[in-house]
Amino acid sequence: MALRRFDLEAGGDTFAFKPETEEKIAFWRGKYPAEKQRSAVIPMLWLAQKDNNGWLSEPAMREVADRLEMPYIRVYEVATFYTMFRLQPVGKFHVQLCGTTPCQLRGAEKLKEVCQKEIGDIMYVTDDGRLSWEEVECLGACVNAPMVQINDDYYEDLTPESLSQILGKLKNGVDVQPGPQIDRVNSAPEGGATTLTDPALFDGSKNSITTLPNLPTDEPEAAEAEAAGKTTLIDGKKKDGEA
């Protein structure tokens, strides 16, 4: 893992949660007993990051530590370990580009070139403050590779052209529809479903089946005995043709 340091200069000296965040803080702290409040450190850091323009300053981490009555170093350890926490300023729209194997095989390297061209180096914030990017590990949308996460939304099935268009729109204040950028719904096949299309699967008619399909027609023991020329009882009776 790369060395992760705080940006002390950009962080300022103070931090305060937004008033509307207090309800969320109470929700997460309410999940743990009084003696286990430290267990809320990760959601608390996540809320602090959101209230600090997408990154964690050192004063923000200290505020979380004070609220949970934790030593500062313990909060620093969590924040520097998990890459979901960013330790330097980011743009209004921060692009997390998945570079793990499935996305790489589907063209992630070309998407990196787009980010470098349209934004700049990793973690560089554009002059207008709107865009920044970084490469991350698997985001769990492999079937829709290659993909990026921008703030809280996934943008999937990307090409260099479609990613360039998305970045251009975000740069100019135009809304972009998240999700797959091709003709498919979520992770369904492109162009529509190709399996489980029989209406009988969904109208209840399949419930009329009273026997299991593909059951064997003969008892295995009976078949073996017949092949050996032995008398075999089935349901208490001799088989036809036997003495």
Side-chain angles (χ1 to χ4, degrees):
M1 180 182 294
L3 182 64
R4 288 163 55 78
R5 296 183 180 275
F6 309 154
D7 190 330
L8 296 175
E9 293 183 4
D13 298 320
T14 61
F15 166 82
F17 282 105
K18 296 177 180 179
E20 58 269 26
T21 305
E22 294 296 336
E23 184 177 352
K24 298 176 182 177
I25 293 173
F27 169 81
W28 284 108
R29 297 191 64 174
K31 288 181 171 289
Y32 306 101
E35 68 276 12
K36 299 292 184 180
Q37 287 292 289
R38 295 182 178 189
S39 298
V41 63
I42 288 180
M44 287 278 286
L45 284 171
W46 183 252
L47 293 174
Q49 179 167 274
K50 282 184 170 293
D51 280 3
N52 196 55
N53 299 317
W55 71 289
L56 280 176
S57 63
E58 197 267 342
M61 289 182 268
R62 281 192 279 111
E63 175 67 17
V64 171
D66 290 339
R67 294 220 183 187
L68 298 178
E69 299 181 357
M70 295 176 64
Y72 293 160
I73 186 61
R74 296 304 182 198
V75 176
Y76 299 159
E77 287 171 346
V78 175
T80 55
F81 180 80
Y82 291 103
T83 56
M84 63 188 280
F85 299 122
R86 295 179 284 273
L87 305 179
Q88 64 188 86
V90 297
K92 180 178 180 180
F93 300 101
H94 183 65
V95 179
Q96 297 179 78
L97 189 153
C98 179
T100 311
T101 305
C103 281
Q104 187 179 54
L105 293 174
R106 294 279 292 168
E109 292 299 323
K110 294 294 184 181
L111 301 187
K112 293 180 192 178
E113 295 176 5
V114 172
C115 288
Q116 291 167 339
K117 177 181 177 182
E118 300 289 341
I119 302 175
D121 292 334
I122 289 177
M123 296 305 291
Y124 172 80
V125 180
T126 55
D127 294 339
D128 57 9
R130 296 188 68 83
L131 295 174
S132 60
W133 79 284
E134 64 177 320
E135 181 179 351
V136 299
E137 296 302 321
C138 183
L139 290 170
C142 308
V143 71
N144 297 74
M147 55 80 63
V148 302
Q149 179 179 343
I150 303 177
N151 294 351
D152 293 335
D153 295 315
Y154 278 14
Y155 296 80
E156 304 157 329
D157 299 300
L158 295 170
T159 64
E161 293 73 24
S162 60
L163 178 58
S164 181
Q165 291 175 4
I166 289 171
L167 297 179
K169 289 180 179 180
L170 295 176
K171 187 181 297 185
N172 291 287
V174 179
D175 290 336
V176 182
Q177 180 66 34
Q181 302 298 305
I182 60 174
D183 179 26
R184 70 156 139 182
V185 178
N186 300 327
S187 299
E190 186 174 357
T194 58
T195 60
L196 302 178
T197 57
D198 183 356
L201 293 170
F202 310 102
D203 62 10
S205 60
K206 288 291 185 180
N207 293 335
S208 62
I209 297 176
T210 57
T211 60
L212 294 175
N214 303 319
L215 289 178
T217 56
D218 295 316
E219 294 283 348
E221 297 83 356
E224 294 174 3
E226 182 178 9
K230 297 179 180 179
T231 300
T232 305
L233 294 179
I234 299 179
D235 296 331
K237 299 180 181 179
K238 292 182 179 180
K239 282 187 60 178
D240 292 339
E242 297 288 352

